[in-house]
Amino acid sequence: MPDDHVTAVVDVRGVLDAKRSAMAAHATQVIVASGGEQFTLSNLVAQPVFGEEHFRLVRGEPGETDDSGRERDLFSGIG
């Protein structure tokens, strides 16, 4: 997704082991490298396992944003 379309960035470094395990659980769709730093789909193009997840708000109003104008919590606007 183009960077200017990203409306939320969530830091997932604290749950990277769980993210890697979840990806590895889908072994018919995803191959996670032995070191856990990269993965590949069926196209066999290695991609990094990022410590941030990027999202785009397509409907509704954003919750609280940081200095970059992006949400850091996907649920902050729900109340």
Side-chain angles (χ1 to χ4, degrees):
M1 160 174 26
D3 193 52
D4 62 332
H5 290 177
V6 174
T7 59
V9 178
V10 178
D11 182 349
V12 296
R13 291 176 294 179
V15 293
L16 269 179
D17 287 340
K19 177 180 175 176
R20 290 181 185 114
S21 294
M23 293 171 72
H26 297 277
T28 61
Q29 301 168 17
V30 180
I31 300 168
V32 179
S34 60
E37 299 298 320
Q38 295 179 325
F39 73 97
T40 184
L41 300 173
S42 60
N43 61 6
L44 300 179
V45 175
Q47 300 288 323
V49 176
F50 290 114
E52 292 183 329
E53 297 286 337
H54 297 84
F55 300 90
R56 179 180 183 183
L57 179 66
V58 295
R59 187 177 330 137
E61 297 297 321
E64 184 178 331
T65 59
D66 63 10
D67 293 339
S68 73
R70 294 178 170 164
E71 292 179 271
R72 295 292 173 175
D73 179 346
L74 296 179
F75 301 105
S76 67
I78 297 174

